[in-house]
């Protein structure tokens, strides 16, 4: 079964055509690289997948469900690391993950999730003192709450040094090995090539 199916998706904002007849299929369990320069429509596509933006035409299916009619169920089964996210400086890593657990209504334990992203030793540290890479891993931990079937990463390597980018790739590969579909959106060819099974 395909995890993502877009057929003829179009979207304009005023005079700007953001998406022009996008056809895309992402298979379940693969790491799919969604590559394009800034302004190419990658984030618009992600917003359409999550039903934050409605397409002007075309069809959207995510995890076998209709992108519009079943959007709440789709979001419950999806973890998202958005571009330009921020963390709360005064909250600890554990408190961030607890917030995500409460928001998603799951009964996850925050510590194993923090361990998956390599932040178990920083669980009770305030995020204000975290490096860029640690903040990125914390946001990823929040996205992993509820064992999502689909993980959407929008420019996840942005601002990371080579070591941070390598750590992120390793986490993505581990999630994929456990059966999660990963949609990895980036404008950096090398990072997409290093981790993805296929690239569009």
């Amino acid at each position: 079964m395909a995890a993502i199916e877009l057929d003829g998706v179009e979207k304009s904002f005023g005079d700007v055509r953001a998406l022009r007849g996008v056809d895309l299929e992402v298979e379940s369990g693969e790491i799919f690289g969604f590559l394009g320069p800034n302004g190419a429509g990658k984030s618009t596509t992600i917003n359409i997948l999550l039903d934050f933006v409605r397409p002007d035409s075309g069809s959207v299916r995510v995890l076998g469900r209709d992108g519009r009619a079943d959007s709440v169920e789709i979001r419950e089964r999806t973890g998202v690391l958005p571009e330009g996210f921020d963390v709360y400086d005064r909250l600890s890593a554990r408190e961030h993950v607890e917030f995500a657990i409460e928001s998603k209504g799951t009964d996850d334990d925050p510590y194993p999730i923090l361990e998956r992203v390599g932040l178990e030793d920083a669980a009770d540290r305030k995020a204000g003192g975290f490096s860029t890479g640690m903040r990125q891993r914390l946001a990823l931990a929040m996205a992993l709450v509820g064992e999502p079937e689909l993980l959407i990463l929008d420019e996840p390597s942005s601002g990371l040094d080579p070591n941070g980018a390598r750590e992120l790739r390793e986490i993505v590969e581990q999630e994929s090995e456990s059966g999660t579909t990963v949609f990895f959106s980036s404008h950096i060819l090398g990072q997409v090539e290093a981790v993805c099974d296929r690239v569009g």
Side-chain angles (χ1 to χ4, degrees), residues 24-127:
L24 177 66
E25 191 167 298
V26 177
E27 293 302 320
S28 292
E30 77 174 326
I31 305 174
F32 185 85
F34 194 49
L35 185 66
N38 292 330
K42 298 187 303 298
S43 293
T44 299
T45 303
I46 288 170
N47 286 333
I48 285 173
L49 292 174
L50 298 170
D51 197 39
F52 296 151
V53 171
R54 294 268 164 96
D56 299 329
S57 61
S59 66
V60 179
R61 291 188 68 77
V62 182
L63 299 172
R65 313 294 297 188
D66 181 271
R68 182 179 286 186
D70 303 315
S71 62
V72 173
E73 182 189 337
I74 289 167
R75 286 195 296 266
E76 286 172 352
R77 296 164 61 193
T78 303
V80 182
L81 175 59
E83 182 183 19
F85 73 91
D86 210 348
V87 296
Y88 296 98
D89 289 352
R90 293 193 303 270
L91 294 183
S92 69
R94 179 181 48 78
E95 288 169 327
H96 277 86
V97 176
E98 285 172 346
F99 173 76
I101 290 167
E102 191 175 315
S103 298
K104 275 202 166 176
T106 71
D107 58 359
D108 292 356
D109 180 344
Y111 287 100
I113 296 172
L114 288 167
E115 192 172 13
R116 272 160 72 182
V117 300
L119 288 178
E120 65 275 19
D121 293 338
D124 294 308
R125 280 179 48 199
K126 301 256 186 271

